[in-house]
Amino acid sequence: MIIDTLANATKYSSLNPLFAKAFDYIKQNDIANLPDGVSEISEGLKLIVNTGMGKTAEASLAKFECHDHNIDIQVCVRGLETIGWKPREKCVAQNGAYNPEKDVRFFSDEPDMFFQLTDNQFGIFYPEDVHAPMIGEGEIKKLVFKVKI
C-alpha cells in the first residue's frame, strides 16, 4: 500500500505504465467537477467517480475487500475518508466466494489499522492490501482507478 498526496504522484508513475496514465488524467481534468460514473481511460485502466455519504466502520467492514487482478488507486477529491487496512496474508476469515466478474473477495477480519485521506490525497492498494473505504461522516467525493495487472 502507498499513501501520499497528488503533489507527489509523479514519484509513482514509473511503478506501472497505467499509473502514469491515471495521474496524467488527473492533471488534465478538473477532478472536483467530474460527474459520477464509470469510464474506460485506456485498455486496462478504468475510472470510477463516486460521490456519496460516508459509512460507519461497521458498514464498510461488511465489505472488507481485496482484488486479485486489479490495483486500486483511490483518490479523495473532497471530504474526509477513513479507510481500514490489513495485509491479506494475515486475513483468515474469508466472507463468501471470490467474484471473478467483479474481481473482489471479502474478509470478515478486523483491520490492523485505520488511516484518513482528505482532499488530493490518495492510496494505492495492491492485491495484498485488504481495505474498507468510505468510512466517514458527510459527503465524500473520490476517484477509483482500476489498474489491470
CSV table of all heavy atoms in Angstrom, one decimal, residues 6-62:
chain,number,residue,atom,x,y,z
A,6,LEU,N,-1.4,14.1,-4.2
A,6,LEU,CA,-1.3,14.2,-5.6
A,6,LEU,C,-0.1,15.1,-6.0
A,6,LEU,O,0.5,14.9,-7.1
A,6,LEU,CB,-2.5,14.8,-6.2
A,6,LEU,CG,-3.8,13.9,-6.2
A,6,LEU,CD1,-5.0,14.6,-6.8
A,6,LEU,CD2,-3.5,12.6,-7.0
A,7,ALA,N,0.4,15.9,-5.1
A,7,ALA,CA,1.6,16.7,-5.4
A,7,ALA,C,2.8,15.8,-5.7
A,7,ALA,O,3.8,16.2,-6.3
A,7,ALA,CB,1.9,17.7,-4.3
A,8,ASN,N,2.8,14.6,-5.1
A,8,ASN,CA,3.9,13.7,-5.2
A,8,ASN,C,3.7,12.5,-6.2
A,8,ASN,O,4.4,11.6,-6.2
A,8,ASN,CB,4.3,13.2,-3.8
A,8,ASN,CG,4.8,14.2,-2.9
A,8,ASN,OD1,5.5,15.1,-3.3
A,8,ASN,ND2,4.4,14.1,-1.6
A,9,ALA,N,2.6,12.6,-6.9
A,9,ALA,CA,2.1,11.5,-7.7
A,9,ALA,C,3.2,11.0,-8.7
A,9,ALA,O,3.3,9.8,-9.0
A,9,ALA,CB,0.8,11.8,-8.4
A,10,THR,N,3.9,11.9,-9.3
A,10,THR,CA,4.9,11.5,-10.3
A,10,THR,C,5.9,10.6,-9.8
A,10,THR,O,6.5,9.8,-10.6
A,10,THR,CB,5.6,12.8,-10.9
A,10,THR,OG1,6.2,13.5,-9.9
A,10,THR,CG2,4.6,13.6,-11.7
A,11,LYS,N,6.2,10.5,-8.5
A,11,LYS,CA,7.1,9.6,-7.9
A,11,LYS,C,6.7,8.1,-8.2
A,11,LYS,O,7.5,7.2,-8.1
A,11,LYS,CB,7.2,9.8,-6.4
A,11,LYS,CG,7.9,11.1,-6.0
A,11,LYS,CD,7.9,11.2,-4.5
A,11,LYS,CE,8.6,12.5,-4.1
A,11,LYS,NZ,8.7,12.6,-2.6
A,12,TYR,N,5.4,7.9,-8.4
A,12,TYR,CA,4.9,6.6,-8.5
A,12,TYR,C,4.6,6.2,-10.0
A,12,TYR,O,4.2,5.0,-10.2
A,12,TYR,CB,3.6,6.4,-7.6
A,12,TYR,CG,3.9,6.9,-6.2
A,12,TYR,CD1,3.5,8.1,-5.8
A,12,TYR,CD2,4.7,6.1,-5.4
A,12,TYR,CE1,3.9,8.6,-4.5
A,12,TYR,CE2,5.0,6.5,-4.1
A,12,TYR,CZ,4.6,7.8,-3.7
A,12,TYR,OH,4.9,8.2,-2.4
A,13,SER,N,4.7,7.1,-10.9
A,13,SER,CA,4.4,6.8,-12.3
A,13,SER,C,5.2,5.7,-12.9
A,13,SER,O,4.8,4.9,-13.8
A,13,SER,CB,4.5,8.1,-13.1
A,13,SER,OG,3.6,9.0,-12.8
A,14,SER,N,6.4,5.5,-12.5
A,14,SER,CA,7.3,4.5,-13.0
A,14,SER,C,7.0,3.1,-12.5
A,14,SER,O,7.5,2.1,-13.0
A,14,SER,CB,8.8,4.8,-12.7
A,14,SER,OG,9.0,4.8,-11.3
A,15,LEU,N,6.2,3.0,-11.5
A,15,LEU,CA,5.8,1.7,-10.9
A,15,LEU,C,5.0,0.8,-11.9
A,15,LEU,O,5.0,-0.4,-11.8
A,15,LEU,CB,5.1,1.8,-9.6
A,15,LEU,CG,5.9,2.5,-8.4
A,15,LEU,CD1,5.0,2.6,-7.2
A,15,LEU,CD2,7.2,1.7,-8.1
A,16,ASN,N,4.2,1.5,-12.7
A,16,ASN,CA,3.3,0.8,-13.6
A,16,ASN,C,2.9,1.8,-14.7
A,16,ASN,O,2.6,2.9,-14.4
A,16,ASN,CB,2.1,0.3,-12.9
A,16,ASN,CG,1.1,-0.5,-13.7
A,16,ASN,OD1,0.7,0.0,-14.8
A,16,ASN,ND2,0.7,-1.6,-13.2
A,17,PRO,N,3.0,1.4,-16.0
A,17,PRO,CA,2.7,2.4,-17.0
A,17,PRO,C,1.3,3.0,-16.9
A,17,PRO,O,1.0,4.1,-17.3
A,17,PRO,CB,2.8,1.6,-18.3
A,17,PRO,CG,3.4,0.3,-18.0
A,17,PRO,CD,3.4,0.1,-16.5
A,18,LEU,N,0.4,2.2,-16.4
A,18,LEU,CA,-1.0,2.7,-16.2
A,18,LEU,C,-1.1,3.7,-15.1
A,18,LEU,O,-2.1,4.5,-15.0
A,18,LEU,CB,-2.0,1.5,-16.1
A,18,LEU,CG,-2.1,0.6,-17.3
A,18,LEU,CD1,-3.0,-0.6,-17.0
A,18,LEU,CD2,-2.6,1.4,-18.5
A,19,PHE,N,-0.2,3.6,-14.1
A,19,PHE,CA,-0.2,4.6,-13.0
A,19,PHE,C,0.1,6.0,-13.7
A,19,PHE,O,-0.6,7.0,-13.3
A,19,PHE,CB,0.9,4.4,-12.0
A,19,PHE,CG,0.6,3.2,-11.1
A,19,PHE,CD1,-0.4,2.3,-11.2
A,19,PHE,CD2,1.5,3.0,-10.0
A,19,PHE,CE1,-0.6,1.3,-10.3
A,19,PHE,CE2,1.3,2.0,-9.1
A,19,PHE,CZ,0.2,1.1,-9.3
A,20,ALA,N,1.0,6.1,-14.6
A,20,ALA,CA,1.3,7.3,-15.3
A,20,ALA,C,0.1,7.8,-16.0
A,20,ALA,O,-0.2,9.0,-16.0
A,20,ALA,CB,2.5,7.1,-16.3
A,21,LYS,N,-0.6,7.0,-16.7
A,21,LYS,CA,-1.9,7.4,-17.4
A,21,LYS,C,-2.9,7.9,-16.4
A,21,LYS,O,-3.6,8.9,-16.7
A,21,LYS,CB,-2.4,6.2,-18.2
A,21,LYS,CG,-1.6,6.0,-19.5
A,21,LYS,CD,-2.2,4.9,-20.3
A,21,LYS,CE,-1.4,4.7,-21.5
A,21,LYS,NZ,-2.0,3.8,-22.5
A,22,ALA,N,-3.1,7.2,-15.3
A,22,ALA,CA,-4.0,7.7,-14.3
A,22,ALA,C,-3.7,9.1,-13.7
A,22,ALA,O,-4.5,10.0,-13.7
A,22,ALA,CB,-4.1,6.7,-13.1
A,23,PHE,N,-2.4,9.3,-13.4
A,23,PHE,CA,-2.0,10.6,-12.8
A,23,PHE,C,-2.0,11.6,-13.9
A,23,PHE,O,-2.3,12.8,-13.6
A,23,PHE,CB,-0.7,10.4,-12.1
A,23,PHE,CG,-0.7,9.6,-10.9
A,23,PHE,CD1,0.2,8.6,-10.7
A,23,PHE,CD2,-1.6,9.9,-9.9
A,23,PHE,CE1,0.2,7.8,-9.5
A,23,PHE,CE2,-1.7,9.1,-8.7
A,23,PHE,CZ,-0.8,8.0,-8.6
A,24,ASP,N,-1.8,11.3,-15.2
A,24,ASP,CA,-1.9,12.3,-16.2
A,24,ASP,C,-3.3,12.7,-16.4
A,24,ASP,O,-3.7,13.9,-16.6
A,24,ASP,CB,-1.4,11.7,-17.6
A,24,ASP,CG,0.2,11.7,-17.6
A,24,ASP,OD1,0.8,12.4,-16.8
A,24,ASP,OD2,0.7,11.0,-18.5
A,25,TYR,N,-4.2,11.7,-16.3
A,25,TYR,CA,-5.7,12.0,-16.4
A,25,TYR,C,-6.1,13.0,-15.3
A,25,TYR,O,-6.8,14.0,-15.6
A,25,TYR,CB,-6.5,10.7,-16.3
A,25,TYR,CG,-8.0,10.9,-16.4
A,25,TYR,CD1,-8.6,10.9,-17.7
A,25,TYR,CD2,-8.8,11.2,-15.4
A,25,TYR,CE1,-9.9,11.1,-17.9
A,25,TYR,CE2,-10.2,11.5,-15.5
A,25,TYR,CZ,-10.7,11.4,-16.8
A,25,TYR,OH,-12.0,11.6,-17.0
A,26,ILE,N,-5.6,12.8,-14.1
A,26,ILE,CA,-5.9,13.7,-13.0
A,26,ILE,C,-5.4,15.1,-13.3
A,26,ILE,O,-6.1,16.1,-13.1
A,26,ILE,CB,-5.3,13.2,-11.7
A,26,ILE,CG1,-6.1,12.0,-11.2
A,26,ILE,CG2,-5.3,14.3,-10.6
A,26,ILE,CD1,-5.4,11.2,-10.1
A,27,LYS,N,-4.2,15.2,-13.8
A,27,LYS,CA,-3.6,16.6,-14.2
A,27,LYS,C,-4.4,17.3,-15.3
A,27,LYS,O,-4.5,18.5,-15.3
A,27,LYS,CB,-2.2,16.4,-14.7
A,27,LYS,CG,-1.2,16.2,-13.6
A,27,LYS,CD,0.2,16.2,-14.3
A,27,LYS,CE,1.2,15.3,-13.5
A,27,LYS,NZ,2.4,15.1,-14.2
A,28,GLN,N,-4.9,16.5,-16.2
A,28,GLN,CA,-5.6,17.1,-17.4
A,28,GLN,C,-7.1,17.4,-17.2
A,28,GLN,O,-7.7,17.9,-18.1
A,28,GLN,CB,-5.4,16.2,-18.6
A,28,GLN,CG,-4.0,16.0,-19.0
A,28,GLN,CD,-3.7,14.9,-20.0
A,28,GLN,OE1,-4.7,14.3,-20.5
A,28,GLN,NE2,-2.5,14.6,-20.3
A,29,ASN,N,-7.6,17.0,-16.0
A,29,ASN,CA,-9.1,17.2,-15.8
A,29,ASN,C,-9.3,17.9,-14.5
A,29,ASN,O,-8.5,17.8,-13.5
A,29,ASN,CB,-9.7,15.8,-15.8
A,29,ASN,CG,-9.8,15.2,-17.1
A,29,ASN,OD1,-10.7,15.5,-17.9
A,29,ASN,ND2,-8.8,14.3,-17.5
A,30,ASP,N,-10.5,18.5,-14.4
A,30,ASP,CA,-10.9,19.2,-13.2
A,30,ASP,C,-11.6,18.1,-12.4
A,30,ASP,O,-12.9,18.0,-12.5
A,30,ASP,CB,-11.9,20.4,-13.6
A,30,ASP,CG,-12.4,21.1,-12.4
A,30,ASP,OD1,-12.0,20.8,-11.2
A,30,ASP,OD2,-13.3,21.9,-12.6
A,31,ILE,N,-10.9,17.4,-11.6
A,31,ILE,CA,-11.4,16.3,-10.9
A,31,ILE,C,-12.5,16.6,-9.9
A,31,ILE,O,-13.4,15.8,-9.6
A,31,ILE,CB,-10.3,15.4,-10.2
A,31,ILE,CG1,-9.6,16.2,-9.1
A,31,ILE,CG2,-9.4,14.8,-11.2
A,31,ILE,CD1,-8.6,15.4,-8.3
A,32,ALA,N,-12.6,17.9,-9.4
A,32,ALA,CA,-13.6,18.3,-8.5
A,32,ALA,C,-15.0,18.3,-9.2
A,32,ALA,O,-16.0,18.2,-8.5
A,32,ALA,CB,-13.3,19.7,-7.9
A,33,ASN,N,-15.0,18.5,-10.5
A,33,ASN,CA,-16.2,18.6,-11.2
A,33,ASN,C,-16.5,17.4,-12.2
A,33,ASN,O,-17.4,17.5,-13.0
A,33,ASN,CB,-16.3,19.9,-12.0
A,33,ASN,CG,-16.3,21.1,-11.0
A,33,ASN,OD1,-17.2,21.2,-10.2
A,33,ASN,ND2,-15.4,22.0,-11.2
A,34,LEU,N,-15.8,16.3,-12.0
A,34,LEU,CA,-16.1,15.2,-12.8
A,34,LEU,C,-17.4,14.6,-12.4
A,34,LEU,O,-17.7,14.5,-11.2
A,34,LEU,CB,-15.0,14.1,-12.7
A,34,LEU,CG,-13.7,14.4,-13.3
A,34,LEU,CD1,-12.7,13.2,-13.0
A,34,LEU,CD2,-13.8,14.5,-14.8
A,35,PRO,N,-18.3,14.2,-13.3
A,35,PRO,CA,-19.6,13.6,-12.9
A,35,PRO,C,-19.4,12.1,-12.4
A,35,PRO,O,-18.4,11.5,-12.8
A,35,PRO,CB,-20.4,13.6,-14.2
A,35,PRO,CG,-19.4,13.6,-15.3
A,35,PRO,CD,-18.2,14.3,-14.7
A,36,ASP,N,-20.2,11.7,-11.5
A,36,ASP,CA,-20.2,10.3,-11.1
A,36,ASP,C,-20.4,9.4,-12.2
A,36,ASP,O,-21.2,9.7,-13.2
A,36,ASP,CB,-21.3,10.1,-10.0
A,36,ASP,CG,-20.9,10.7,-8.6
A,36,ASP,OD1,-19.9,11.4,-8.5
A,36,ASP,OD2,-21.6,10.4,-7.7
A,37,GLY,N,-19.7,8.2,-12.2
A,37,GLY,CA,-19.9,7.2,-13.2
A,37,GLY,C,-18.6,6.5,-13.5
A,37,GLY,O,-17.6,6.7,-12.8
A,38,VAL,N,-18.7,5.6,-14.4
A,38,VAL,CA,-17.6,4.7,-14.8
A,38,VAL,C,-17.2,5.0,-16.2
A,38,VAL,O,-18.0,5.1,-17.1
A,38,VAL,CB,-18.0,3.2,-14.7
A,38,VAL,CG1,-16.9,2.3,-15.0
A,38,VAL,CG2,-18.5,2.9,-13.3
A,39,SER,N,-15.9,5.1,-16.5
A,39,SER,CA,-15.4,5.3,-17.8
A,39,SER,C,-14.1,4.5,-18.0
A,39,SER,O,-13.3,4.3,-17.0
A,39,SER,CB,-15.2,6.8,-18.1
A,39,SER,OG,-14.4,7.4,-17.2
A,40,GLU,N,-13.8,4.1,-19.2
A,40,GLU,CA,-12.6,3.5,-19.5
A,40,GLU,C,-11.6,4.5,-20.0
A,40,GLU,O,-11.9,5.2,-21.0
A,40,GLU,CB,-12.8,2.4,-20.6
A,40,GLU,CG,-11.5,1.6,-20.7
A,40,GLU,CD,-11.7,0.2,-21.4
A,40,GLU,OE1,-12.8,-0.4,-21.1
A,40,GLU,OE2,-10.8,-0.3,-22.0
A,41,ILE,N,-10.5,4.7,-19.4
A,41,ILE,CA,-9.5,5.7,-19.7
A,41,ILE,C,-8.6,5.1,-20.9
A,41,ILE,O,-8.3,5.8,-21.8
A,41,ILE,CB,-8.6,6.1,-18.5
A,41,ILE,CG1,-9.5,6.5,-17.3
A,41,ILE,CG2,-7.6,7.1,-18.9
A,41,ILE,CD1,-10.4,7.7,-17.6
A,42,SER,N,-8.2,3.9,-20.7
A,42,SER,CA,-7.4,3.2,-21.8
A,42,SER,C,-7.5,1.7,-21.5
A,42,SER,O,-8.1,1.3,-20.5
A,42,SER,CB,-5.9,3.7,-21.8
A,42,SER,OG,-5.3,3.2,-20.6
A,43,GLU,N,-6.9,0.9,-22.4
A,43,GLU,CA,-7.0,-0.5,-22.1
A,43,GLU,C,-6.3,-0.9,-20.8
A,43,GLU,O,-5.2,-0.5,-20.6
A,43,GLU,CB,-6.3,-1.3,-23.3
A,43,GLU,CG,-6.5,-2.8,-23.2
A,43,GLU,CD,-5.9,-3.5,-24.3
A,43,GLU,OE1,-5.8,-2.9,-25.4
A,43,GLU,OE2,-5.6,-4.7,-24.1
A,44,GLY,N,-7.1,-1.5,-19.9
A,44,GLY,CA,-6.6,-1.9,-18.6
A,44,GLY,C,-6.7,-0.8,-17.6
A,44,GLY,O,-6.3,-1.1,-16.4
A,45,LEU,N,-7.3,0.3,-17.9
A,45,LEU,CA,-7.4,1.4,-16.9
A,45,LEU,C,-8.8,1.9,-16.9
A,45,LEU,O,-9.3,2.5,-17.9
A,45,LEU,CB,-6.4,2.5,-17.2
A,45,LEU,CG,-6.4,3.7,-16.2
A,45,LEU,CD1,-6.0,3.2,-14.8
A,45,LEU,CD2,-5.5,4.8,-16.7
A,46,LYS,N,-9.6,1.7,-15.8
A,46,LYS,CA,-10.9,2.2,-15.7
A,46,LYS,C,-11.0,3.2,-14.6
A,46,LYS,O,-10.3,3.1,-13.6
A,46,LYS,CB,-11.8,0.9,-15.4
A,46,LYS,CG,-13.3,1.2,-15.2
A,46,LYS,CD,-14.2,0.0,-15.2
A,46,LYS,CE,-14.0,-0.8,-13.9
A,46,LYS,NZ,-15.0,-1.9,-13.8
A,47,LEU,N,-11.9,4.1,-14.7
A,47,LEU,CA,-12.1,5.1,-13.7
A,47,LEU,C,-13.5,5.1,-13.2
A,47,LEU,O,-14.5,5.1,-13.9
A,47,LEU,CB,-11.8,6.5,-14.2
A,47,LEU,CG,-12.2,7.7,-13.3
A,47,LEU,CD1,-11.4,7.7,-12.0
A,47,LEU,CD2,-12.0,9.0,-14.0
A,48,ILE,N,-13.7,5.0,-11.8
A,48,ILE,CA,-15.0,5.1,-11.2
A,48,ILE,C,-15.0,6.4,-10.4
A,48,ILE,O,-14.1,6.6,-9.5
A,48,ILE,CB,-15.2,4.0,-10.2
A,48,ILE,CG1,-15.1,2.6,-11.0
A,48,ILE,CG2,-16.6,4.1,-9.5
A,48,ILE,CD1,-15.0,1.4,-10.1
A,49,VAL,N,-15.9,7.3,-10.7
A,49,VAL,CA,-16.1,8.6,-9.9
A,49,VAL,C,-17.3,8.4,-9.0
A,49,VAL,O,-18.4,8.0,-9.6
A,49,VAL,CB,-16.3,9.8,-10.8
A,49,VAL,CG1,-16.4,11.1,-10.0
A,49,VAL,CG2,-15.1,9.9,-11.8
A,50,ASN,N,-17.2,8.6,-7.7
A,50,ASN,CA,-18.2,8.4,-6.8
A,50,ASN,C,-18.3,9.5,-5.8
A,50,ASN,O,-17.3,9.9,-5.2
A,50,ASN,CB,-18.0,7.0,-6.1
A,50,ASN,CG,-19.1,6.7,-5.1
A,50,ASN,OD1,-20.3,6.8,-5.4
A,50,ASN,ND2,-18.7,6.3,-3.9
A,51,THR,N,-19.5,10.0,-5.6
A,51,THR,CA,-19.8,11.0,-4.6
A,51,THR,C,-20.9,10.4,-3.7
A,51,THR,O,-21.9,10.0,-4.2
A,51,THR,CB,-20.3,12.3,-5.2
A,51,THR,OG1,-19.4,12.8,-6.1
A,51,THR,CG2,-20.5,13.4,-4.1
A,52,GLY,N,-20.6,10.2,-2.4
A,52,GLY,CA,-21.6,9.6,-1.5
A,52,GLY,C,-21.3,10.0,-0.1
A,52,GLY,O,-20.3,10.6,0.3
A,53,MET,N,-22.3,9.6,0.7
A,53,MET,CA,-22.2,9.9,2.1
A,53,MET,C,-21.3,8.8,2.8
A,53,MET,O,-21.3,7.7,2.4
A,53,MET,CB,-23.5,9.8,2.8
A,53,MET,CG,-24.5,10.9,2.3
A,53,MET,SD,-23.8,12.6,2.5
A,53,MET,CE,-23.9,12.8,4.3
A,54,GLY,N,-20.4,9.3,3.7
A,54,GLY,CA,-19.6,8.3,4.4
A,54,GLY,C,-20.4,7.3,5.1
A,54,GLY,O,-21.6,7.5,5.5
A,55,LYS,N,-19.8,6.1,5.4
A,55,LYS,CA,-20.4,5.0,6.0
A,55,LYS,C,-19.8,4.8,7.4
A,55,LYS,O,-18.8,5.3,7.7
A,55,LYS,CB,-20.1,3.7,5.3
A,55,LYS,CG,-20.5,3.7,3.8
A,55,LYS,CD,-20.1,2.3,3.2
A,55,LYS,CE,-20.3,2.3,1.7
A,55,LYS,NZ,-19.8,1.1,1.1
A,56,THR,N,-20.5,4.1,8.2
A,56,THR,CA,-20.0,3.7,9.5
A,56,THR,C,-18.9,2.6,9.3
A,56,THR,O,-18.9,2.0,8.2
A,56,THR,CB,-21.1,3.0,10.4
A,56,THR,OG1,-21.5,1.8,9.8
A,56,THR,CG2,-22.2,4.0,10.7
A,57,ALA,N,-18.0,2.5,10.2
A,57,ALA,CA,-16.9,1.5,10.1
A,57,ALA,C,-17.6,0.1,9.9
A,57,ALA,O,-17.1,-0.7,9.1
A,57,ALA,CB,-16.0,1.5,11.3
A,58,GLU,N,-18.6,-0.2,10.7
A,58,GLU,CA,-19.3,-1.5,10.6
A,58,GLU,C,-19.8,-1.7,9.2
A,58,GLU,O,-19.6,-2.8,8.7
A,58,GLU,CB,-20.4,-1.5,11.7
A,58,GLU,CG,-21.1,-2.8,11.7
A,58,GLU,CD,-22.2,-2.9,12.8
A,58,GLU,OE1,-23.3,-2.4,12.5
A,58,GLU,OE2,-21.9,-3.3,13.9
A,59,ALA,N,-20.4,-0.8,8.6
A,59,ALA,CA,-21.0,-0.9,7.3
A,59,ALA,C,-19.9,-1.2,6.2
A,59,ALA,O,-20.0,-2.0,5.4
A,59,ALA,CB,-21.8,0.3,6.9
A,60,SER,N,-18.8,-0.4,6.3
A,60,SER,CA,-17.7,-0.6,5.4
A,60,SER,C,-17.0,-1.9,5.6
A,60,SER,O,-16.6,-2.6,4.6
A,60,SER,CB,-16.7,0.6,5.5
A,60,SER,OG,-15.7,0.4,4.6
A,61,LEU,N,-16.8,-2.3,6.8
A,61,LEU,CA,-16.1,-3.6,7.1
A,61,LEU,C,-16.9,-4.8,6.7
A,61,LEU,O,-16.3,-5.9,6.6
A,61,LEU,CB,-15.7,-3.7,8.6
A,61,LEU,CG,-14.6,-2.7,9.0
A,61,LEU,CD1,-14.4,-2.7,10.5
A,61,LEU,CD2,-13.3,-3.2,8.3
A,62,ALA,N,-18.2,-4.6,6.5
A,62,ALA,CA,-19.0,-5.7,6.0
A,62,ALA,C,-18.5,-6.1,4.6
A,62,ALA,O,-18.8,-7.2,4.1
A,62,ALA,CB,-20.5,-5.4,5.9
